[in-house]
Amino acid sequence: MNQADKKELMMGNEAIARGLIENGCRIATAYPGTPASEILASVAAYQKRLGVDMHTQWAVNEKVALEIAYAGSMAGLRSAVSMKQVGLNVASDPLMSAAYMGCAGGFVIVSADDPGPHSSQTEQDSRMMAMMAKIPVLDPDSPRQAKALVAAAFDLSETFSTPVMLRPTTRVCHSRQDVMPGDLPATTAEPDFKKDPSRWAATPKFRYQLHLEVEEKLARIAEYAATAPVLRNPQASGRQALVASGVAAAYAAEALSDLDLWDRLPFFQVQQPFPLHTDFSRQLLADFDDILVLEETTGIIEMQLADRQRVKGKLNHIVPRVGELLPETVMALIADFAGETVDLPNLPQVPGRRPTLCAGCPHRASFFAIKKAAPRGIYTSDIGCYTLGLNLKAVDTVLCMGAAISQAAGFYHAYRHAERRPDIVATIGDSTFFHAGVPALIDAVNQNVRLVLVILDNRTTAMTGSQPTPATGKGAGGETLVKVDMEALVKGCGVEFLEVRDPYDLKDFIATVKKAVQFSRDQGPAVVIARHPCIIDLARQGQAAEPIPITVTEDCDGCGYCHQHFECPALIPVDEGKRTVVDPLVCNGCGVCLQDICPKGAIQRI
């Protein structure tokens, strides 16, 4: 069999996972977040399929995930942690210290960035965090290169005893490419933690010395030949040069070929944007009068070149500073830089449909009930698919993981002495509650904050691909784990009012939230757990309930109440909004809309 027959079509995240397995990773941890979620899931799948002896784990949050994996590195094992770029914010505390202390076994931090952004609060560039932490970062341009750079990252980490960041972006994580799987390592290291308190438990005096060592490491890494920039077209010559990294480098290679500039414009691909190689920077500025730098999302390479006259990029606003560098954008930038003209097609802007909760999603019923129970309230919410409660006008704020409770407390303190204090209702998902909600709830109890917290417990981490939560009792590979009792945890935080209800029973759920609102007005924080499994999960497991056949009768007068306040995608306005019908292809027959959603009673069971 020739090698071409052995290639596999891999998603970028699968290629990264395969790279971890093939390079002897023994501990892999993560918290799910798009675009990084499939990395650990793929590691667990390979582990099971190939019989690899390693530990894989969905941790409760990114900070915990990094600390677990880093301890594996301290014990001499190759370890890795993966997350999305805003997850790196959560893990930044241990990251900064780990950079000072270094590592024993190779330690790779995969932080997947989301230029665009497609599914994130920010477009932040993880390479900036690597610069702040003073660790090297590698920037793959494709799934194939992402797998190769995993090996380079482990080698770099062990050569210089430093954590190394691998920074794929959405277009690398979720694109697919033929990738050659390699062999598994014949042997792997055994754990051997060598005690050294002056390093692993360093006090401030020793941290100063460790900082000196970090700076010395960075200087040597900036001379490390294995990760030096590559001249992709050595036959090209001239006084202009193109420098690119990440997926922008892949687009640039295609653009140079399409513009017939491959032999005319020297093109350097930077695989290690920080620290930028010293000799490369010196030679680039010595050999070229005009340099175009293409990178996402911040001008990291450009900053280190530090020549505003000759270097053109984001800092002098020649390259867009916001959003993705799309292929047509890259082509236009290169053509303009080279003095060429290019006709790019004007792609029609197709109107999209705003994202909405799935038909039958239990969160829709929860939000409807919250508005009924506290119609003039302030609604703080959190990060998850339930953020789409925005469409139902039941979400007023979304900041970051766990902030629903903290912001609810902030609003309470702001209105505490006002003549009329609004009801405050916070919503948070089950996985997000475990991730970052518990400390905020303890604080709210301690301050006796008058809020209602509705924990939207659909028994999974739905938004990122239905990963398990601590309450699920399942591990990354499907293994059985100890279940965490959410009710006991809430009670342990000191909460006196706690009710668990099924939001599908809308009448009962509305009554329960009203009861919680009244308690919060008079006594203190109240918690309602809205528990109903995710309908997508139920369908996947073959456990979906028998659908209830539903129709809209002629009593419908097109008032629009169902669309404005319930917003189920299966309820479709027709005849220019004069009436509503049920879309049988979308409706899953949950039956929630039968419970007094229509003020005219036009939604009926067939």
Side-chain angles (χ1 to χ4, degrees), residues 450 496-497 514-526:
R450 309 298 176 86
E496 293 182 12
F497 182 103
K514 283 182 177 179
K515 183 179 172 185
V517 168
Q518 188 58 53
F519 182 92
S520 73
R521 289 172 182 168
D522 301 333
Q523 299 185 57

Side-chain angles (χ1 to χ4, degrees), residues 157-175:
S157 177
E158 291 175 344
T159 299
F160 295 97
S161 182
T162 179
V164 174
M165 181 184 293
L166 180 68
R167 197 284 300 236
T169 58
T170 299
R171 300 298 180 182
V172 173
C173 291
H174 288 163
S175 61

Side-chain angles (χ1 to χ4, degrees), residues 134-136 156 160 162 211-225 227 272 274-280 282 304:
K134 300 181 183 295
I135 63 171
L156 181 61
F160 295 97
T162 179
H211 189 187
L212 292 175
E213 293 176 13
V214 166
E215 297 295 343
E216 187 270 333
K217 285 179 191 177
L218 284 177
R220 289 191 290 127
I221 292 169
E223 298 173 350
Y224 187 55
T227 56
Q272 180 183 288
F274 179 81
L276 193 61
H277 282 69
T278 309
D279 288 344
F280 168 73
R282 188 184 303 116
Q304 295 170 87

